[in-house]
Amino acid sequence: MAATDAVAAARNRDAGAYEPAVDRLAGADRSGLVLGGVVRLLLEETHPDGLDGDDVRQVLERCVRGAAPWRPEVDPHVLLVLLASALGVYDPGADDAPPDPAEVARHAPLLVADLLAATGRPLEGYLTTAFAEVARTELHD
């Protein structure tokens, strides 16, 4: 699966494996929704009392600092949009278009890998839960 491969490459900081995985991820249906669900689940687990602005800043800074040495084109703004979207608080203004699927695919695995490192747990359980939530939401829409 593209998401698993991309997150594994991000965790290993393997640029050679990362590019083809994110290319596949960008073409996958609902990958942004699923990875956004994984981010939300991880944020809830790592911050059980909720997040404040300082917590979001710390997550963002840690992710950017961890990714920048091997992904110098990492865009903090895209990561911030992904965080805000996962938390359900992203509201793009007139001048702020949301990132395209390719940008989401290039950045979401970085964020997921960073948050997974904080939990020490594997991705699979989070993916299963996120897929189920997306399917449930689509069923009720």
mmCIF file of all heavy atoms in Angstrom, residues 3-4 8-9 15 19 22 30 41 44 58 67 73 77 83 89 97 110-112 115 120 122 124 128 134:
data_model
loop_
_atom_site.group_PDB
_atom_site.id
_atom_site.type_symbol
_atom_site.label_atom_id
_atom_site.label_comp_id
_atom_site.label_asym_id
_atom_site.label_seq_id
_atom_site.Cartn_x
_atom_site.Cartn_y
_atom_site.Cartn_z
ATOM 1 N N ALA A 3 0.452 4.315 1.224
ATOM 2 C CA ALA A 3 0.582 5.047 2.488
ATOM 3 C C ALA A 3 1.588 4.366 3.400
ATOM 4 O O ALA A 3 2.442 5.028 4.005
ATOM 5 C CB ALA A 3 -0.773 5.166 3.183
ATOM 6 N N THR A 4 1.500 3.056 3.509
ATOM 7 C CA THR A 4 2.435 2.307 4.348
ATOM 8 C C THR A 4 3.865 2.482 3.848
ATOM 9 O O THR A 4 4.783 2.716 4.641
ATOM 10 C CB THR A 4 2.049 0.815 4.370
ATOM 11 O OG1 THR A 4 0.698 0.700 4.821
ATOM 12 C CG2 THR A 4 2.955 0.016 5.278
ATOM 13 N N ALA A 8 6.793 4.430 5.883
ATOM 14 C CA ALA A 8 8.005 3.660 6.200
ATOM 15 C C ALA A 8 9.248 4.371 5.653
ATOM 16 O O ALA A 8 10.270 4.465 6.341
ATOM 17 C CB ALA A 8 7.902 2.248 5.631
ATOM 18 N N ALA A 9 9.153 4.872 4.434
ATOM 19 C CA ALA A 9 10.290 5.602 3.853
ATOM 20 C C ALA A 9 10.585 6.870 4.648
ATOM 21 O O ALA A 9 11.749 7.219 4.865
ATOM 22 C CB ALA A 9 10.012 5.930 2.391
ATOM 23 N N ALA A 15 15.052 8.719 0.954
ATOM 24 C CA ALA A 15 14.565 9.559 -0.145
ATOM 25 C C ALA A 15 14.303 8.750 -1.405
ATOM 26 O O ALA A 15 13.362 9.033 -2.147
ATOM 27 C CB ALA A 15 15.560 10.687 -0.425
ATOM 28 N N GLU A 19 10.069 9.021 -2.828
ATOM 29 C CA GLU A 19 9.491 9.627 -4.039
ATOM 30 C C GLU A 19 8.507 8.708 -4.755
ATOM 31 O O GLU A 19 7.386 9.128 -5.048
ATOM 32 C CB GLU A 19 10.595 10.101 -4.986
ATOM 33 C CG GLU A 19 11.225 11.396 -4.568
ATOM 34 C CD GLU A 19 10.232 12.542 -4.422
ATOM 35 O OE1 GLU A 19 9.335 12.692 -5.277
ATOM 36 O OE2 GLU A 19 10.352 13.289 -3.450
ATOM 37 N N VAL A 22 5.288 8.353 -2.591
ATOM 38 C CA VAL A 22 4.377 9.507 -2.557
ATOM 39 C C VAL A 22 3.738 9.738 -3.921
ATOM 40 O O VAL A 22 2.611 10.225 -3.986
ATOM 41 C CB VAL A 22 5.029 10.799 -2.012
ATOM 42 C CG1 VAL A 22 5.452 10.618 -0.570
ATOM 43 C CG2 VAL A 22 6.167 11.277 -2.855
ATOM 44 N N ARG A 30 -8.797 9.005 -1.859
ATOM 45 C CA ARG A 30 -9.038 9.238 -0.438
ATOM 46 C C ARG A 30 -7.798 9.130 0.441
ATOM 47 O O ARG A 30 -7.903 9.012 1.653
ATOM 48 C CB ARG A 30 -10.130 8.318 0.080
ATOM 49 C CG ARG A 30 -11.471 8.613 -0.561
ATOM 50 C CD ARG A 30 -12.477 7.559 -0.255
ATOM 51 N NE ARG A 30 -13.749 7.789 -0.864
ATOM 52 C CZ ARG A 30 -14.016 7.716 -2.158
ATOM 53 N NH1 ARG A 30 -13.081 7.466 -3.012
ATOM 54 N NH2 ARG A 30 -15.233 7.925 -2.614
ATOM 55 N N LEU A 41 -5.971 10.764 14.832
ATOM 56 C CA LEU A 41 -5.875 9.706 15.847
ATOM 57 C C LEU A 41 -4.573 9.814 16.638
ATOM 58 O O LEU A 41 -4.565 9.663 17.868
ATOM 59 C CB LEU A 41 -5.969 8.326 15.178
ATOM 60 C CG LEU A 41 -7.317 7.957 14.579
ATOM 61 C CD1 LEU A 41 -7.174 6.737 13.672
ATOM 62 C CD2 LEU A 41 -8.334 7.705 15.682
ATOM 63 N N GLU A 44 -4.710 12.801 18.977
ATOM 64 C CA GLU A 44 -5.547 12.504 20.132
ATOM 65 C C GLU A 44 -4.807 11.616 21.126
ATOM 66 O O GLU A 44 -4.920 11.798 22.338
ATOM 67 C CB GLU A 44 -6.847 11.822 19.690
ATOM 68 C CG GLU A 44 -7.808 12.757 18.993
ATOM 69 C CD GLU A 44 -9.025 12.052 18.427
ATOM 70 O OE1 GLU A 44 -9.095 10.798 18.459
ATOM 71 O OE2 GLU A 44 -9.919 12.762 17.923
ATOM 72 N N GLN A 58 4.799 22.950 18.505
ATOM 73 C CA GLN A 58 5.837 21.965 18.809
ATOM 74 C C GLN A 58 5.805 20.797 17.828
ATOM 75 O O GLN A 58 6.852 20.348 17.364
ATOM 76 C CB GLN A 58 5.689 21.457 20.245
ATOM 77 C CG GLN A 58 6.090 22.469 21.278
ATOM 78 C CD GLN A 58 5.785 22.014 22.697
ATOM 79 O OE1 GLN A 58 5.196 20.958 22.912
ATOM 80 N NE2 GLN A 58 6.194 22.823 23.661
ATOM 81 N N ALA A 67 12.444 16.464 9.208
ATOM 82 C CA ALA A 67 12.379 16.197 7.764
ATOM 83 C C ALA A 67 13.368 17.022 6.956
ATOM 84 O O ALA A 67 13.844 16.558 5.909
ATOM 85 C CB ALA A 67 10.963 16.458 7.257
ATOM 86 N N GLU A 73 12.857 20.528 0.869
ATOM 87 C CA GLU A 73 11.728 21.272 0.309
ATOM 88 C C GLU A 73 10.473 21.169 1.185
ATOM 89 O O GLU A 73 9.408 21.641 0.788
ATOM 90 C CB GLU A 73 11.411 20.777 -1.111
ATOM 91 C CG GLU A 73 10.819 19.388 -1.188
ATOM 92 C CD GLU A 73 11.833 18.254 -1.042
ATOM 93 O OE1 GLU A 73 13.043 18.512 -0.915
ATOM 94 O OE2 GLU A 73 11.415 17.099 -1.045
ATOM 95 N N HIS A 77 4.047 25.433 5.895
ATOM 96 C CA HIS A 77 2.655 25.852 5.702
ATOM 97 C C HIS A 77 1.766 24.667 5.329
ATOM 98 O O HIS A 77 0.642 24.533 5.837
ATOM 99 C CB HIS A 77 2.564 26.940 4.626
ATOM 100 C CG HIS A 77 1.155 27.364 4.358
ATOM 101 N ND1 HIS A 77 0.423 28.134 5.244
ATOM 102 C CD2 HIS A 77 0.318 27.094 3.318
ATOM 103 C CE1 HIS A 77 -0.793 28.319 4.757
ATOM 104 N NE2 HIS A 77 -0.881 27.704 3.584
ATOM 105 N N LEU A 83 -2.244 19.689 9.682
ATOM 106 C CA LEU A 83 -2.588 19.628 11.110
ATOM 107 C C LEU A 83 -3.958 20.251 11.372
ATOM 108 O O LEU A 83 -4.802 19.652 12.049
ATOM 109 C CB LEU A 83 -1.527 20.355 11.937
ATOM 110 C CG LEU A 83 -0.260 19.601 12.262
ATOM 111 C CD1 LEU A 83 0.790 20.547 12.846
ATOM 112 C CD2 LEU A 83 -0.547 18.465 13.221
ATOM 113 N N VAL A 89 -10.173 22.346 11.972
ATOM 114 C CA VAL A 89 -10.209 23.794 12.161
ATOM 115 C C VAL A 89 -9.643 24.564 10.968
ATOM 116 O O VAL A 89 -9.477 25.776 11.049
ATOM 117 C CB VAL A 89 -9.464 24.224 13.456
ATOM 118 C CG1 VAL A 89 -10.170 23.653 14.672
ATOM 119 C CG2 VAL A 89 -8.005 23.813 13.424
ATOM 120 N N ALA A 97 -5.492 28.813 -1.001
ATOM 121 C CA ALA A 97 -6.024 27.582 -1.562
ATOM 122 C C ALA A 97 -5.424 26.390 -0.819
ATOM 123 O O ALA A 97 -4.254 26.417 -0.439
ATOM 124 C CB ALA A 97 -5.678 27.497 -3.043
ATOM 125 N N LEU A 110 5.293 12.534 6.212
ATOM 126 C CA LEU A 110 6.287 13.117 7.115
ATOM 127 C C LEU A 110 5.658 13.371 8.480
ATOM 128 O O LEU A 110 6.254 13.078 9.526
ATOM 129 C CB LEU A 110 6.837 14.427 6.553
ATOM 130 C CG LEU A 110 7.545 14.364 5.204
ATOM 131 C CD1 LEU A 110 7.870 15.767 4.716
ATOM 132 C CD2 LEU A 110 8.789 13.503 5.286
ATOM 133 N N LEU A 111 4.463 13.918 8.469
ATOM 134 C CA LEU A 111 3.753 14.222 9.708
ATOM 135 C C LEU A 111 3.370 12.938 10.439
ATOM 136 O O LEU A 111 3.552 12.820 11.655
ATOM 137 C CB LEU A 111 2.522 15.071 9.394
ATOM 138 C CG LEU A 111 1.745 15.653 10.558
ATOM 139 C CD1 LEU A 111 2.638 16.465 11.481
ATOM 140 C CD2 LEU A 111 0.616 16.520 10.017
ATOM 141 N N VAL A 112 2.871 11.958 9.708
ATOM 142 C CA VAL A 112 2.487 10.681 10.315
ATOM 143 C C VAL A 112 3.715 9.998 10.917
ATOM 144 O O VAL A 112 3.669 9.515 12.053
ATOM 145 C CB VAL A 112 1.781 9.767 9.286
ATOM 146 C CG1 VAL A 112 1.612 8.351 9.831
ATOM 147 C CG2 VAL A 112 0.431 10.349 8.891
ATOM 148 N N LEU A 115 4.702 11.724 14.168
ATOM 149 C CA LEU A 115 3.777 11.418 15.266
ATOM 150 C C LEU A 115 3.881 9.956 15.709
ATOM 151 O O LEU A 115 3.761 9.651 16.899
ATOM 152 C CB LEU A 115 2.343 11.768 14.866
ATOM 153 C CG LEU A 115 2.072 13.264 14.717
ATOM 154 C CD1 LEU A 115 0.746 13.501 14.000
ATOM 155 C CD2 LEU A 115 2.095 13.952 16.066
ATOM 156 N N GLY A 120 5.632 5.267 19.343
ATOM 157 C CA GLY A 120 6.357 4.002 19.321
ATOM 158 C C GLY A 120 5.522 2.837 18.818
ATOM 159 O O GLY A 120 5.892 1.688 18.975
ATOM 160 N N PRO A 122 3.111 0.869 15.633
ATOM 161 C CA PRO A 122 3.087 0.726 14.170
ATOM 162 C C PRO A 122 1.901 1.461 13.549
ATOM 163 O O PRO A 122 0.903 1.753 14.213
ATOM 164 C CB PRO A 122 2.964 -0.784 13.957
ATOM 165 C CG PRO A 122 2.305 -1.286 15.201
ATOM 166 C CD PRO A 122 2.751 -0.371 16.320
ATOM 167 N N GLU A 124 -0.203 0.353 11.148
ATOM 168 C CA GLU A 124 -1.318 -0.448 10.656
ATOM 169 C C GLU A 124 -2.626 -0.251 11.418
ATOM 170 O O GLU A 124 -3.680 -0.103 10.817
ATOM 171 C CB GLU A 124 -0.934 -1.933 10.629
ATOM 172 C CG GLU A 124 0.044 -2.281 9.526
ATOM 173 C CD GLU A 124 1.463 -1.755 9.781
ATOM 174 O OE1 GLU A 124 1.867 -1.601 10.970
ATOM 175 O OE2 GLU A 124 2.168 -1.471 8.806
ATOM 176 N N THR A 128 -6.158 1.180 9.770
ATOM 177 C CA THR A 128 -7.414 0.424 9.799
ATOM 178 C C THR A 128 -8.539 1.274 10.372
ATOM 179 O O THR A 128 -9.637 1.342 9.802
ATOM 180 C CB THR A 128 -7.241 -0.864 10.633
ATOM 181 O OG1 THR A 128 -6.198 -1.657 10.041
ATOM 182 C CG2 THR A 128 -8.521 -1.664 10.704
ATOM 183 N N VAL A 134 -13.445 6.784 7.443
ATOM 184 C CA VAL A 134 -13.752 7.363 6.138
ATOM 185 C C VAL A 134 -14.937 6.617 5.511
ATOM 186 O O VAL A 134 -15.866 7.243 4.994
ATOM 187 C CB VAL A 134 -12.519 7.343 5.211
ATOM 188 C CG1 VAL A 134 -12.898 7.677 3.774
ATOM 189 C CG2 VAL A 134 -11.451 8.315 5.724
#
